[in-house]
Amino acid sequence: MNEIIYHIDPAAEDLKDPVMIVGLPGVGHVGKFVADHLVEALGAQKIIEIYSEHFPPQVIVGEDSTVTLVGNRVYLARTEKTDILILAGDSQSTDPAGHYSLCETYIGFASQFKVKRIFTLGGYPTGVVNAENYVIGAVNNIEIIESLKEKGIKFNPSEPPGGIVGASGLILAFAKFRGIDAACLMGTTTGYIADPQSSKVLLEKLCGILEIGVDFASLDEKIKDMEQIVEKIKDSVNGEEFEEYGDRYATDEDLNYFG
Amino acid sequence: MNEIIYHIDPAAEDLKDPVMIVGLPGVGHVGKFVADHLVEALGAQKIIEIYSEHFPPQVIVGEDSTVTLVGNRVYLARTEKTDILILAGDSQSTDPAGHYSLCETYIGFASQFKVKRIFTLGGYPTGVVNAENYVIGAVNNIEIIESLKEKGIKFNPSEPPGGIVGASGLILAFAKFRGIDAACLMGTTTGYIADPQSSKVLLEKLCGILEIGVDFASLDEKIKDMEQIVEKIKDSVNGEEFEEYGDRYATDEDLNYFG
Amino acid sequence: MNEIIYHIDPAAEDLKDPVMIVGLPGVGHVGKFVADHLVEALGAQKIIEIYSEHFPPQVIVGEDSTVTLVGNRVYLARTEKTDILILAGDSQSTDPAGHYSLCETYIGFASQFKVKRIFTLGGYPTGVVNAENYVIGAVNNIEIIESLKEKGIKFNPSEPPGGIVGASGLILAFAKFRGIDAACLMGTTTGYIADPQSSKVLLEKLCGILEIGVDFASLDEKIKDMEQIVEKIKDSVNGEEFEEYGDRYATDEDLNYFG
Amino acid sequence: MNEIIYHIDPAAEDLKDPVMIVGLPGVGHVGKFVADHLVEALGAQKIIEIYSEHFPPQVIVGEDSTVTLVGNRVYLARTEKTDILILAGDSQSTDPAGHYSLCETYIGFASQFKVKRIFTLGGYPTGVVNAENYVIGAVNNIEIIESLKEKGIKFNPSEPPGGIVGASGLILAFAKFRGIDAACLMGTTTGYIADPQSSKVLLEKLCGILEIGVDFASLDEKIKDMEQIVEKIKDSVNGEEFEEYGDRYATDEDLNYFG
């Protein structure tokens, strides 16, 4: 089963300098937090739903006890200078081949809407706690590096050393095949826990690139929540309280803080 | 290999207010016990057989030494007020994608027979021993919650926190795509062993919803069997007797009490 | 890649009361030893080669340093009363779905050659060392049990309790769909090591059923080899010698004695 | 997604006595080092790119921060006597069935370019440290053994005992189906770490067979690097330094020395 539900007709839409943002679950949920926050902060409208047998065979139960099939969604936010497509959602592929199939689908949306620039968002695990957060980049076109450096993105040779796994990487490669410029922006993070602080730094850089302003309130709330969790962890010697808090948060908001 | 064998013609049948019950193997076999019991207690007739390469490559050997291919089956029970289709059987999909494929098949049966309501049955693992059994629900249409609450089904926000995995969840989502109201009814259970007691509580609620009466004799027998097993487990310090009993029961009746 | 190479034309052949024997790798290699021995002892001719992406991606290197792709083969042995098709080879499917696909292929051969009886051969792990070997059966048609009992096959209710996994089981089920009588004959074995002794007992029973006589020499040799290996294992305290012997045998004759 | 990008037209090319060399990642990276070295030393031109959903869903980040999709490539080196196709790249299939699919693709290239001889390269793990390196062979045509022996390739009965897994083996089998002579040449190696020394010995033999001369400089450099690493390992008691060096090298040159 692969099902795409369009709420608007890509052929009929004439978007203004369309850019696509991709923030799916991954390292520290850094990318997912940014995409989800953008959807909320910009009041973006859901325009496409994607369901696939490559996602886990699972439904999510909402606050009102109604179920939602695990899937990803494309949202459209119309801002002054640019129209922003945001790909966000619940899951990446459960099998290697599914990543290829799904990313073909995603890049197809970019083509349909005549997107000229794509930014995939992710976390870059450093293993270092309490380090300063920054954003490193990788691109599918060497010519866009300079402009991103000007906006504060760092570029280090052959970094990340293990390459980029999953949608954040594949979309760059597939975009190149279609002649669409794309960059992967990765917020540094410990790699151990969900990291809304890294997401905030990444979001600030992204806003600079897109020349948009967004409210950071709900992200700041997540950061405070995580700080309290981490404080509790430090107080707890045997780690049992950690687990308890993890569960509370995981269930609280459909977000796995310990992904 | 995917093979569907119809013993009756869905197009030719005109069912009375048809409802579909789904009880496949899962947590504590809570749903499977209820479906199997309903088939027996209502004298339901086997109308469809489903075989699939997504099931384990395995045959079951019966009392008479003849083999049966692992598969699922749809039974039809004609009761006074309503005609009940019961989906029961040996297995769920062995791979994630197979769940999607099989649930498409299952929901296709619901469409063919013009089913208007579906109840998928399962267990809800609480990890708590000796707690009172109750039934929690999740739905694909918020409008059916009230009527289920009246019948004693509990609804808790975002519960189960991990969502619903497998056929019990997917069928709700697929039913929604086809405009069929569906609820998942989950009997609370420890999650450690097969739990016919939870099945009985779930069956009682289901009978109330369907306005049918069934004999509970064979389910009561299973409960007594399990109580004896648990008693033995308590007596046994090193757990070796446990295993021995588990084996006896597993082979006795083609039921895995320790699923 | 699925490739079937026919060395004879099934449509053009008119076999005499054709029966099919299936002996593929499995528990204790009991079935494989019997099929391989029959091919040799009856001077059977290779008539079909089966290669498939469901087999391991591997070639075997022979005595003469030439490679053979992992696959299965059908051999034809013409005896006085009956023509015997023997399915033997290197592997079963590496994935669950592949078993279904391959067994469809195998049963297709049975149909093409108008086979009326199939015997799949396997081992039945008892976990008991030094027990007397016997052969238990399961069938796809209750009517053939009596005649098999007369030939010394035992039938115990619901045994094996875990059913029959893989080709030995599926072929029975698929044969039933095509109206071909089939039995699975399982030689009891410890389940820990390759067991040519169990294979010999199974072969004796099979010869009685097929009313053929075969030389047991090469199987007796394998039995003597295994007895020496087991003796060495008993002498060895730390088990290191065991490994050494296992290696020698595994490489010696392309047979894994410790499967 | 399976995508083949041709930079030249196989049908239009008329190669001189074309031979194909296959050196993909595997045991000790012995074959990969040789193929990569040949591409560089012979100034071979990239003529085909192969991308596939059977490869890991991953991009590699280069020195200049641009990404490259994981894939394999065919290079063409024109030498005096013979035109050499070199299949080299980043990965083998991630799933068993993918090996079959990809090797069909690879053998298709050999057919398109009318290749008459194929040499697949690999490592043969002996588990022995500091042993003398030699090259053993396996073939798909017994008639080519003598000429390879004359060039210093050893042939031992049924070696490697476990057969040949992956592209190096399958390509031999598939080549046989198409009537193309092929040999697998395996450099002995410990099996524990990347082994450029084994690659050098293998390359020397291969150059003898192909009657070509190549510069060994960059391979000698890799050997020296590895000697230093191994020396450090010996000095280090707790093995922590080992890891550190491994990381440096893995990231340094997009080569995993510890594959």
Side-chain angles (χ1 to χ4, degrees), chain A residues 55-61 67 69-70, chain B residues 24-27 92-93 95-96 99-100 103 120-123 125 160-171 184 186:
Chain A
F55 293 139
Q58 195 174 351
V59 295
I60 293 162
V61 182
V67 299
L69 184 56
V70 162
Chain B
L24 297 175
V27 177
Q92 295 219 14
S93 173
D95 62 302
H99 281 287
Y100 283 86
C103 288
T120 67
L121 311 178
I164 305 168
V165 179
S168 282
L170 282 196
I171 287 173
C184 179
M186 290 157 278

Side-chain angles (χ1 to χ4, degrees), chain B residues 15-34:
Chain B
L15 298 190
K16 195 171 42 188
D17 186 23
V19 60
M20 185 184 247
I21 306 298
V22 179
L24 297 175
V27 177
H29 280 342
V30 175
K32 177 177 167 54
F33 284 157
V34 173

Side-chain angles (χ1 to χ4, degrees), chain A residues 100 104 139 145 158 161-164 166, chain D residues 1 56-59 62 65-67 251:
Chain A
Y100 283 87
E104 282 282 353
V139 299
I145 289 179
S158 306
I164 305 168
Chain D
M1 198 218 74
Q58 194 173 352
V59 295
S65 292
T66 63
V67 299
T251 65

Side-chain angles (χ1 to χ4, degrees), chain A residues 93-153:
Chain A
S93 172
T94 58
D95 62 302
H99 280 287
Y100 283 87
S101 164
L102 286 165
C103 288
E104 282 282 353
T105 297
Y106 301 152
I107 208 68
F109 300 146
S111 286
Q112 288 176 321
F113 284 104
K114 303 190 175 59
V115 164
K116 290 290 177 293
R117 289 181 299 159
I118 300 174
F119 297 98
T120 66
L121 311 177
Y124 176 30
T126 60
V128 183
V129 181
N130 283 332
E132 201 193 346
N133 287 110
Y134 59 93
V135 177
I136 79 155
V139 299
N140 71 356
N141 178 358
I142 201 168
E143 289 175 22
I144 65 177
I145 289 179
E146 267 323 302
S147 67
L148 291 170
K149 276 185 177 169
E150 284 167 20
K151 302 291 185 177
I153 309 300

Side-chain angles (χ1 to χ4, degrees), chain A residues 139-190:
Chain A
V139 299
N140 71 356
N141 178 358
I142 201 168
E143 289 175 22
I144 65 177
I145 289 179
E146 267 323 302
S147 67
L148 291 170
K149 276 185 177 169
E150 284 167 20
K151 302 291 185 177
I153 309 300
K154 296 199 179 183
F155 287 86
N156 300 331
S158 306
E159 231 177 353
I164 305 168
V165 178
S168 282
L170 282 195
I171 286 173
L172 262 62
F174 290 5
K176 194 180 177 186
F177 288 143
R178 305 213 184 192
I180 304 173
D181 286 348
C184 179
L185 308 178
M186 291 157 278
T188 56
T189 179
T190 62

